[in-house]
Structure formats: C-alpha cells, structure tokens
C-alpha cells in the first residue's frame, strides 16, 4: 500500500509541476509511475512475501531461544552432542547457548508442522487457534519456498505440503502470483498468529515485552 501511495503521489506531483511550467501535452501519460509499478508487480510481490516470511520465521527462532533461556530444562532430550562441540566451553551457560542454537537450527528445517509440534509438546503453547490460521500460515511459507527455489511455480512438493486450498487455485506446473488481496490475507494472519503467541509465551515464561518503538530507542541510546 505504501508503494502504491508513493507512486500515486509521484504522478500527481509530476502533473502539478508540468502544469506550473506550462508543459501540458494531451498525449502525455498521466500515470507513468503507477504503470511502471504494475510492470514490476511480480518482483514487488515476491519481495514482500520473502521479507514477510523471513521475518515471521526469525520471530519464531527468537521466541524459542528466549523461552529456553528462561527454562533450560526444555532442552532435555535423548539427543547426543559430539564431545568436540562442547569440550572447549567453560561455563554451563555456554553449553546451553550451544544447545539452543542447535535446536533452533533443526526446527528451521522441520517446517510448520514440526515447529507447531515443538511449541505444543515442549513449550506448552498452541501456535494456532483454528485450522484457518494453520492453513494460511502453511500456504504463505510454502509460497515463499517455491518463489525462492522454483521461480514461483507450483510443484508436487508444494501441493503435498499445502494440500487442497478452499480458496486458492494452486495448479501443478503453473506460477502462482500473490496479488495484493492475497498478500493482505496472509500478512494479517501471521501478524495475528505472532501477536497471540507472543502474549502467551511472555506470560508463561515471564519474558519482558516492550513496544517496538521503545526497543528501537534503546538501541539508539
């Protein structure tokens, strides 16, 4: 929406400037910036999806780390760690940090189902409040994956992971373009999911919460 508004303002400013300079031409294109934006709609769409999903996944990585730091026994498992990875560490806190990093990296490759299971089984937190949230989240992540790895073209892996969508016509071998309405649905969904999960995690594990602007001010000081 920001880009569309900026493009519209640029065209309006250009029109006012040309009129002020007496350079009016009936054949002149009144909306060159907006038309240029439309020409690059696929690129803009893919950038929005990639950045949004990447931010979403970074959040989950960070919230898992914060929860484990508050309650390290969450890491308890039968997983084996090579001696060479920990022998040089001098403090238990360093060992915990290493284990946290390994656990988070492993989760990154398990997909949304693996992450959801981990949150429920180990952290005692439900990621989604209904099936629609789960489905939209899975679609958004898998759309990002085919954009990055398959040029946005729907493949068999995508269809296997996403299943049948009640509202979107994903077809094997066809490129799926995420339009503005689709993006708004997906973005609103992950914002709701992360907001609700953040509140639950911070309450259960007594994590500090501040408004984003406050953290930015702290980093600057």
């Amino acid at each position: 929406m920001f880009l569309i508004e900026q493009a519209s303002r640029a065209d309006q400013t250009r029109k006012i400037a040309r009129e002020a300079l007496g350079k009016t031409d009936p054949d002149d294109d009144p909306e060159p910036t907006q038309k240029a934006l439309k020409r690059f709609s696929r690129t803009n769409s893919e950038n929005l999806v990639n950045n949004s999903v990447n931010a979403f996944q970074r959040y989950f990585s960070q919230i898992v780390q914060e929860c484990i730091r508050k309650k390290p026994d969450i890491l308890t498992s039968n997983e084996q760690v090579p001696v060479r990875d920990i022998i040089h560490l001098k403090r238990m806190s360093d060992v915990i940090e290493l284990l946290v990093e390994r656990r988070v990296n492993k989760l990154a490759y398990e997909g949304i189902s693996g992450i959801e299971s981990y949150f429920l089984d180990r952290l005692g937190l439900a990621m989604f409040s209904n099936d629609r949230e789960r489905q939209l989240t899975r679609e958004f992540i898998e759309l990002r994956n085919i954009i990055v790895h398959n040029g946005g073209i729907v493949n068999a892996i995508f269809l296997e992971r996403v299943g049948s969508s009640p509202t979107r016509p994903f077809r094997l071998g066809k490129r799926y373009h995420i339009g503005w309405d689709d993006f708004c649905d997906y973005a609103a969904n992950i914002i709701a999911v992360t907001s609700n999960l953040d509140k639950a995690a911070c309450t259960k594990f007594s994590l500090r919460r501040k408004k984003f602007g406050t953290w930015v001010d702290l980093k600057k000081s």
Side-chain angles (χ1 to χ4, degrees), residues 7-29:
S8 178
R9 287 183 179 181
D11 287 337
Q12 186 63 24
T13 301
R14 178 178 178 275
K15 178 183 177 182
I16 293 172
R18 289 182 66 85
E19 289 176 351
L21 294 171
K23 294 182 178 180
T24 57
D25 183 348
D27 297 325
D28 187 46
D29 187 352

Side-chain angles (χ1 to χ4, degrees), residues 46-60:
E46 292 178 350
N47 286 337
L48 284 171
V49 173
N50 288 340
N51 290 334
S52 298
V53 172
N54 288 344
F56 180 68
Q57 292 179 324
R58 282 197 303 273
Y59 165 78
F60 280 107

